[in-house]
Amino acid sequence: MQKNQKLKIAVVAGGFSNEYPVSIRSARSILSWLDRSLYEPYLVVITRERRYVEIDDKSFDLNLDCFGFKTGMGDMIRFDYAFVTIHGTPGEDGKLQGYLDLMNIPYNTGGVLQEALTFDKYACNHFLSSFEGIRVAKSIRLPSTDNLPSELEMADMLGMPVFVKPNVGGSSLGTFRVDKPSDLMPAIEKAFAEAPCVMVESMITGTEVTCGCYRNSKGVAEALPVTEVVTHNQFFDYDAKYNGAVEEITPARIPAHQFAHIQRLTQDIYAHLDTHGIIRVDYIIEADGMPTLLEVNTTPGMTATSFIPQQVRAAGMEMPDLLTEIIQQSFL
């Protein structure tokens, strides 16, 4: 690429999961925020059936041999960078990152190992729980519907209530609160309809908060302001996340020492995972005043009303500047 030439950015969205619509919305927000004086951005959509570049009302097949596409005029455009905003597979589990590594294309997320680990909620939480100061809820992993523990055995191991959720995926799709053992198996069957592996986790109660973190232009992990999540549903489910059945309060209404502790813990998790780009970490502050880790999200929602843009605004920053810092990290 010649000096002063704009970087051609592929904002990669879509994916194979039920989070496809959220991913497309995130991508359109990112496209609106990218600095056009520095970048020439394009929307790249990945589905099971097709991979293509969308320009206005036209689409052009993505050429995987060069990570580019041929325009209607016959010119070949090759991308210099991929901003991945797929929620779910193949952009949040390391598959896409492996391809980009092979093509020597820089991108905004963690690498193959980091994405594969954080995509598996059970594995990620148990890995992070090995570090001092990180507390997680009790959980069991159900790799298949064969040889399941009985409902009473699960209740004895975890107590009640519990949450049954796909071990991979997001947006709380296929997640159910279960209050009595007799309702466990129906919830597990529904969760298996969303994913090949299911996690059953003890319910923890308290104040739900979430905190974003990114690596700044100096290479230092910097935590964003903490958001408090107040849902009017049983838990922070898909309806609460995307249909307004929730209050999202940034900065969170928690004591200053808790606020600072959540930020430090999020920076520690960022470092333990050795990840990149923007992550978001969710917690419950329990009655003892200490946070319990819920999960780590390495491609968080980026719509205008999502947590990360809220936290960026609360930090006195602008999304175009933050995205520029993240992209430029790859070219230092």
Side-chain angles (χ1 to χ4, degrees), residues 69-228:
F69 71 102
K70 189 173 287 188
T71 69
M73 302 297 291
D75 299 321
M76 177 61 74
I77 292 178
R78 293 178 172 84
F79 295 116
D80 303 301
Y81 184 92
F83 200 108
V84 180
T85 188
I86 291 176
H87 309 313
T89 188
E92 203 174 8
D93 58 1
K95 294 183 175 69
L96 179 57
Q97 287 77 10
Y99 162 75
L100 293 169
D101 285 342
L102 285 173
M103 299 302 295
N104 198 29
I105 300 292
Y107 49 88
N108 61 303
T109 69
V112 174
L113 173 61
Q114 290 86 353
E115 294 303 302
L117 174 61
T118 54
F119 193 60
D120 186 310
K121 296 181 178 73
Y122 182 89
C124 183
N125 283 8
H126 279 71
F127 167 73
L128 289 171
S129 70
S130 67
F131 294 95
E132 185 177 357
I134 300 178
R135 182 168 70 181
V136 302
K138 290 181 182 178
S139 62
I140 56 174
R141 181 177 179 272
L142 306 177
S144 75
T145 55
D146 297 329
N147 301 315
L148 291 176
S150 72
E151 294 167 323
L152 290 178
E153 285 173 327
M154 286 187 275
D156 184 57
M157 284 186 280
L158 302 175
M160 297 298 291
V162 297
F163 280 105
V164 176
K165 61 178 76 172
N167 191 42
V168 298
S171 295
S172 298
L173 291 163
T175 298
F176 307 94
R177 172 177 165 163
V178 178
D179 293 298
K180 53 186 180 181
S182 59
D183 292 335
L184 267 169
M185 288 307 177
I188 288 169
E189 289 175 8
K190 291 176 183 176
F192 268 116
E194 294 287 339
C197 181
V198 167
M199 181 166 73
V200 185
E201 184 176 64
S202 297
M203 189 180 86
I204 47 179
T205 59
T207 302
E208 184 163 356
V209 296
T210 187
C211 183
C213 189
Y214 71 100
R215 200 182 300 274
N216 65 24
S217 58
K218 297 179 182 178
V220 177
E222 194 160 321
L224 293 167
V226 181
T227 297
E228 179 183 352

Side-chain angles (χ1 to χ4, degrees), residues 11-328:
V11 179
V12 188
F16 307 155
S17 77
N18 289 333
E19 295 180 273
Y20 177 97
V22 182
S23 173
I24 296 296
R25 287 165 53 192
S26 291
R28 296 199 187 283
S29 293
I30 292 167
L31 286 165
S32 74
W33 289 322
L34 285 171
D35 187 341
R36 295 303 201 276
S37 70
L38 299 173
Y39 309 121
E40 188 179 310
Y42 297 85
L43 175 61
V44 174
V45 180
I46 294 179
T47 69
R48 290 193 183 278
E49 296 77 27
R50 192 182 172 206
R51 295 162 291 273
Y52 62 93
V53 180
E54 181 182 295
I55 302 175
D56 297 325
D57 58 347
K58 297 180 180 179
S59 64
F60 305 89
D61 288 336
L62 181 68
N63 186 330
L64 293 179
D65 291 336
C66 67
F67 194 52
F69 71 102
K70 189 173 287 188
T71 69
M73 302 297 291
D75 299 321
M76 177 61 74
I77 292 178
R78 293 178 172 84
F79 295 116
D80 303 301
Y81 184 92
F83 200 108
V84 180
T85 188
I86 291 176
H87 309 313
T89 188
E92 203 174 8
D93 58 1
K95 294 183 175 69
L96 179 57
Q97 287 77 10
Y99 162 75
L100 293 169
D101 285 342
L102 285 173
M103 299 302 295
N104 198 29
I105 300 292
Y107 49 88
N108 61 303
T109 69
V112 174
L113 173 61
Q114 290 86 353
E115 294 303 302
L117 174 61
T118 54
F119 193 60
D120 186 310
K121 296 181 178 73
Y122 182 89
C124 183
N125 283 8
H126 279 71
F127 167 73
L128 289 171
S129 70
S130 67
F131 294 95
E132 185 177 357
I134 300 178
R135 182 168 70 181
V136 302
K138 290 181 182 178
S139 62
I140 56 174
R141 181 177 179 272
L142 306 177
S144 75
T145 55
D146 297 329
N147 301 315
L148 291 176
S150 72
E151 294 167 323
L152 290 178
E153 285 173 327
M154 286 187 275
D156 184 57
M157 284 186 280
L158 302 175
M160 297 298 291
V162 297
F163 280 105
V164 176
K165 61 178 76 172
N167 191 42
V168 298
S171 295
S172 298
L173 291 163
T175 298
F176 307 94
R177 172 177 165 163
V178 178
D179 293 298
K180 53 186 180 181
S182 59
D183 292 335
L184 267 169
M185 288 307 177
I188 288 169
E189 289 175 8
K190 291 176 183 176
F192 268 116
E194 294 287 339
C197 181
V198 167
M199 181 166 73
V200 185
E201 184 176 64
S202 297
M203 189 180 86
I204 47 179
T205 59
T207 302
E208 184 163 356
V209 296
T210 187
C211 183
C213 189
Y214 71 100
R215 200 182 300 274
N216 65 24
S217 58
K218 297 179 182 178
V220 177
E222 194 160 321
L224 293 167
V226 181
T227 297
E228 179 183 352
V229 182
V230 183
T231 179
H232 304 297
N233 294 355
Q234 274 196 326
F235 64 98
F236 190 41
D237 59 8
Y238 187 92
D239 183 53
K241 287 181 178 179
Y242 301 114
N243 297 324
V246 68
E247 292 179 66
E248 299 168 2
I249 303 164
T250 310
R253 303 168 301 178
I254 57 177
H257 71 278
Q258 287 184 345
F259 198 101
H261 180 63
I262 292 289
Q263 289 185 307
R264 287 194 302 270
L265 192 57
T266 304
Q267 289 170 307
D268 289 344
I269 288 171
Y270 196 102
H272 293 326
L273 293 171
D274 189 27
T275 192
H276 296 87
I278 307 172
I279 72 166
R280 198 193 76 233
V281 186
D282 303 337
Y283 309 89
I284 294 282
I285 301 174
E286 296 194 70
D288 62 0
M290 298 301 292
T292 295
L293 172 67
L294 291 180
E295 63 180 75
V296 179
N297 190 325
T298 59
T299 58
M302 295 288 280
T303 68
T305 58
S306 295
F307 289 123
I308 294 298
Q310 290 181 45
Q311 293 173 7
V312 169
R313 289 192 296 270
M317 303 165 61
E318 299 291 338
M319 285 302 300
D321 297 330
L322 177 65
L323 298 183
T324 295
E325 283 207 48
I326 290 167
I327 293 170
Q328 294 305 121

